[in-house]
């Protein structure tokens, strides 16, 4: 239970600071606690523009007394143009310092100060600047309020998030590329601070195929409230107090593409798990109507309502590609899920090969990159791929060993670092030993080798050892090998770890 404040002004001692959340605009959405604090405060402070009017004051107006001391904290500027030597941020910082000093004078005089804030005081609110400057010096209570986010969702009558969905709150003032990335990577979103940012927000929604899902809400719960599909909004009519809402997709699922607009996206999920997904990849996986892929890779992708999943064995790449293209030809938006980067020993080649047939010539196909295993393993070990390198698969399932051996010799004689994919499996047990034998013809026995297994996964293991000590028995299909060049170095650091790197400058350079 909060302690009630005294109305007596000018008493000796230190007053108390209140940050009072007023809710989104409708005075009836203020909390009882907010009304109590305002009614019992000595000083009521509120931010306003140069014209002197304050939305916060208008919300709380009926709770103000004639004997309240009112402090108008008037912003010195409203747009990011100023001749202040510190620029826009410098001008605002000076303003907040001056405003907090004015409030501190009341607090030092023993007065109780209530700072009014639209929405919630600590959610994109001006009060927070007073809080950071004063809360460590005076007794403080923050009274939370209903945010514009909750008000907007209630206004359009749609859930924001459900089950395992993720909600992202985004300021529209972000650069357009960042807006696009954030929208692509989330399930639901609210974009705030529209106004002059609206055109960029609209373009970001278009680029992420979310425009048709977006709702526009202006002045939620206030006089002049307005809601409509965001795609229909005139950019010139958008004020600052408006938001874009992408609600939950649990009931609707991913939006189906327009008739005849099916497509195939070949998506790289990285070496393991959601931490390795790019924002573009997250967006593609979330917006797809169908996921097609090797079951192990599909299991890395969160289940979303309304999405169809088509898993298969790892040895039917052409059939999988044909199935995905047939779905897209019927108007589905299909994500073919591939581990690592889809263009590195993965599904992009299979899809494009089948897509080159005449019957699929009109099906759009895009390849979205992912973090490939070689780059992931190299980063864990240091920078062994810091100079020229070659990538070779040791699997002889799709090409003869003679070709692999010839390429190993050529790359080794050229003094390239080697990234060896698919080094071994239960049915292929001798290739690593043979590769080590070939490489030792060109490399010193102490050449650094990175043995990286299950990078990014629960059983991750990354070791740096000498080429002569490479044990083929420890290598399986979840392992990637990085073989250093004559210039690659391995150094043991003070914390006991060994890092490997290949200098960017060659000795003869």
């Amino acid at each position: 239970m909060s302690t009630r404040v005294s109305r007596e002004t000018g008493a000796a001692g230190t007053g108390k600071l209140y940050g009072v959340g007023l809710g989104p605009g409708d005075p009836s959405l203020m909390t009882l606690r907010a009304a109590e604090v305002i009614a019992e405060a000595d000083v009521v402070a509120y931010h306003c523009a140069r014209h002197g009017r304050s939305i916060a004051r208008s919300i709380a107006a009926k709770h103000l007394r004639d004997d309240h001391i009112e402090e108008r904290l008037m912003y010195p500027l409203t747009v990011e143009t100023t001749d202040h030597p510190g620029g826009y941020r410098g001008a605002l910082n000076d303003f907040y310092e001056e405003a907090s000093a004015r409030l501190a004078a009341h607090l030092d005089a023993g007065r109780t100060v209530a700072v009014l804030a639209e929405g919630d005081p600590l959610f994109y609110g001006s009060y927070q600047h007073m809080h950071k400057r004063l809360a460590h010096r005076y007794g403080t209570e923050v009274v939370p309020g209903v945010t514009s986010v909750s008000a907007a969702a209630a206004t359009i009558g749609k859930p924001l998030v459900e089950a395992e969905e993720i909600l992202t709150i985004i300021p529209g003032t972000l650069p357009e590329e960042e807006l696009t990335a954030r929208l692509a990577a989330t399930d639901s979103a609210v974009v705030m601070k529209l106004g002059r940012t609206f055109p960029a927000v609209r373009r970001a929604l278009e680029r992420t195929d979310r425009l048709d899902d977006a709702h526009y809400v202006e002045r939620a719960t206030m006089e002049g409230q307005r809601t409509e599909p965001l795609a229909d909004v005139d950019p010139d009519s958008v004020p600052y107090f408006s938001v874009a809402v992408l609600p939950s997709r649990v009931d609707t699922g991913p939006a189906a593409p327009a008739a005849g607009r099916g497509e195939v996206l070949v998506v790289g999920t990285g070496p393991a798990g959601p931490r390795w997904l790019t924002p573009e990849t997250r967006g593609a996986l979330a917006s797809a109507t169908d996921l097609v892929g090797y079951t192990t890779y599909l299991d890395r992708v969160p289940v979303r309502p309304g999405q169809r999943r088509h898993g298969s064995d790892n040895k039917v790449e052409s059939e999988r590609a044909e199935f995905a293209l047939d779905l897209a030809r019927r108007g589905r938006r299909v994500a073919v899920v591939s581990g690592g980067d889809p263009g590195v020993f993965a599904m992009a080649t299979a899809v494009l090969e089948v897509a080159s047939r005449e019957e699929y010539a009109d099906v759009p196909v895009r390849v979205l990159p992912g973090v490939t295993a070689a780059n992931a393993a190299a980063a864990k070990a240091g920078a062994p791929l810091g100079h020229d390198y070659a990538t070779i698969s040791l699997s002889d399932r799709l090409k003869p060993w003679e070709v692999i051996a010839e390429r190993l010799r050529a790359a080794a004689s050229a003094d390239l670092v080697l990234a060896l994919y698919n080094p071994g499996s239960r049915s292929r047990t001798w290739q690593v030993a043979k590769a080590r034998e070939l490489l030792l013809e060109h490399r010193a026995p102490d050449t650094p080798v990175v043995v990286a297994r299950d990078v990014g996964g629960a059983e991750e293991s990354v070791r740096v050892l000498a080429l002569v000590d490479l044990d083929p028995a420890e290598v399986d299909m979840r392992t990637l090998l990085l073989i250093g060049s004559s210039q690659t170095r391995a150094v043991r650091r003070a914390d006991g770890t060994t890092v490997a790197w290949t200098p960017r400058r060659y000795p003869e350079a």
Side-chain angles (χ1 to χ4, degrees):
M1 180 71 70
S2 300
T3 303
R4 293 296 180 263
V5 297
S6 170
R7 284 192 184 181
E8 182 182 352
T9 63
T14 301
K16 186 170 182 178
L17 173 69
Y18 289 85
V20 183
L22 303 177
D26 183 345
S28 66
L29 292 177
M30 286 175 54
T31 65
L32 291 174
R33 182 63 184 143
E36 290 171 353
V37 168
I38 294 169
E40 298 180 6
D42 304 314
V43 179
V44 175
Y46 45 85
H47 292 81
C48 65
R50 286 179 174 178
H51 50 57
R53 297 186 299 275
S54 167
I55 292 177
R57 188 191 188 285
S58 67
I59 297 171
K62 72 176 184 179
H63 300 285
L64 299 181
R65 308 188 313 272
D66 291 340
D67 63 338
H68 265 135
I69 301 171
E70 296 193 26
E71 284 284 1
R72 288 196 308 175
L73 309 177
M74 186 177 296
Y75 285 108
L77 66 172
T78 56
V79 295
E80 296 185 15
T81 55
T82 176
D83 57 3
H84 189 283
Y88 177 73
R89 292 296 175 189
L92 280 183
N93 186 68
D94 284 354
F95 162 67
Y96 291 132
E97 290 291 338
E98 184 273 336
S100 62
R102 287 167 58 189
L103 300 186
H106 289 295
L107 293 165
D108 289 338
R111 302 186 186 103
T112 299
V113 177
V115 182
L116 307 183
E118 302 103 301
D120 182 89
L122 298 180
F123 183 76
Y124 290 121
S126 297
Y127 164 76
Q128 62 195 8
H129 300 288
M130 304 297 101
H131 188 85
K132 288 186 288 188
R133 289 166 171 81
L134 298 173
H136 64 289
R137 296 164 51 191
Y138 304 98
T140 303
E141 179 185 332
V142 176
V143 181
V146 178
T147 70
S148 58
V149 171
S150 299
T155 298
I156 63 174
K158 292 185 177 294
L160 278 175
V161 278
E162 188 175 335
E164 283 76 42
E165 286 185 309
I166 295 169
L167 171 66
T168 302
I169 309 298
I170 309 172
T173 49
L174 289 177
E176 187 174 329
E177 285 298 315
E178 186 68 22
L179 283 169
T180 303
R182 298 284 180 172
L183 288 169
T186 192
D187 298 310
S188 305
V190 175
V191 185
M192 307 187 63
K193 307 180 182 182
L194 294 185
R196 60 189 174 84
T197 72
F198 182 81
V201 173
R202 192 186 194 284
R203 288 192 298 270
L205 288 164
E206 284 183 301
R207 292 172 63 185
T208 53
D209 294 322
R210 304 297 298 275
L211 182 59
D212 291 341
D213 300 331
H215 298 259
Y216 172 81
V217 182
E218 178 183 318
R219 296 185 175 90
T221 78
M222 302 168 67
E223 185 178 354
Q225 174 182 293
R226 170 187 168 202
T227 64
E228 61 181 298
L230 190 136
D232 298 339
V233 174
D234 177 3
D236 293 333
S237 70
V238 177
Y240 181 83
F241 283 98
S242 56
V243 298
V245 182
L246 287 173
S248 168
R249 294 195 287 192
V250 164
D251 292 330
T252 61
R261 289 184 57 196
E263 66 174 337
V264 172
L265 301 175
V266 192
V267 175
T269 61
R275 289 187 302 138
W276 299 86
L277 294 176
T278 67
E280 183 180 33
T281 295
R282 285 185 183 275
L285 294 172
S287 63
T289 59
D290 297 76
L291 302 181
V292 174
Y294 175 37
T295 302
T296 298
Y297 296 148
L298 286 184
D299 289 343
R300 296 178 183 174
V301 181
V303 175
R304 288 182 171 84
Q307 222 174 39
R308 301 177 187 175
R309 302 164 76 92
H310 311 274
S312 59
D313 184 78
N314 198 29
K315 298 179 181 179
V316 291
E317 292 182 351
S318 294
E319 293 90 336
R320 191 184 305 146
E322 187 172 341
F323 178 73
L325 288 159
D326 281 332
L327 286 173
R329 196 163 54 174
R330 298 200 297 269
R332 310 289 290 177
R333 184 184 294 113
V334 186
V336 177
V337 180
S338 179
D341 182 277
V344 181
F345 304 122
M347 279 300 299
T349 299
V351 172
L352 292 171
E353 186 175 5
V354 177
S356 298
R357 299 179 193 167
E358 184 177 352
E359 62 265 37
Y360 300 117
D362 61 345
V363 178
V365 176
R366 287 192 287 146
V367 179
L368 306 186
V371 178
T372 188
N375 296 133
K380 293 288 185 178
L385 303 182
H387 208 299
D388 301 336
Y389 68 94
T391 301
I392 298 175
S393 171
L394 292 191
S395 173
D396 58 356
R397 188 168 68 87
L398 299 176
K399 63 179 182 288
W401 174 256
E402 291 73 20
V403 172
I404 298 172
E406 181 180 353
R407 292 176 178 177
L408 285 172
R409 290 191 185 96
S413 63
D415 201 24
L416 297 172
V417 176
L418 294 174
L420 302 183
Y421 281 69
N422 307 317
S425 68
R426 283 176 293 183
S427 62
R428 293 188 298 105
T429 58
W430 56 269
Q431 282 88 344
V432 173
K434 187 62 177 177
R436 182 186 62 183
E437 178 185 324
L438 292 172
L439 292 170
L440 282 170
E441 296 175 8
H442 301 273
R443 301 284 160 88
D446 62 351
T447 298
V449 174
V450 177
V451 182
R453 186 178 186 278
D454 192 32
V455 173
E459 300 177 12
E460 177 180 288
S461 171
V462 179
R463 296 183 298 134
V464 181
L465 45 79
L467 177 58
V468 71
D469 296 328
L470 176 60
D471 183 0
E474 297 181 4
V475 176
D476 59 16
M477 278 295 288
R478 298 172 68 184
T479 304
L480 183 128
L481 301 176
L482 301 177
I483 314 295
S485 72
S486 66
Q487 304 303 306
T488 304
R489 301 288 179 261
V491 174
R492 189 172 181 83
R493 295 180 57 78
D495 62 0
T497 61
T498 299
V499 295
W501 80 93
T502 303
R504 294 178 62 195
R505 180 181 293 275
Y506 217 68
E508 292 79 8

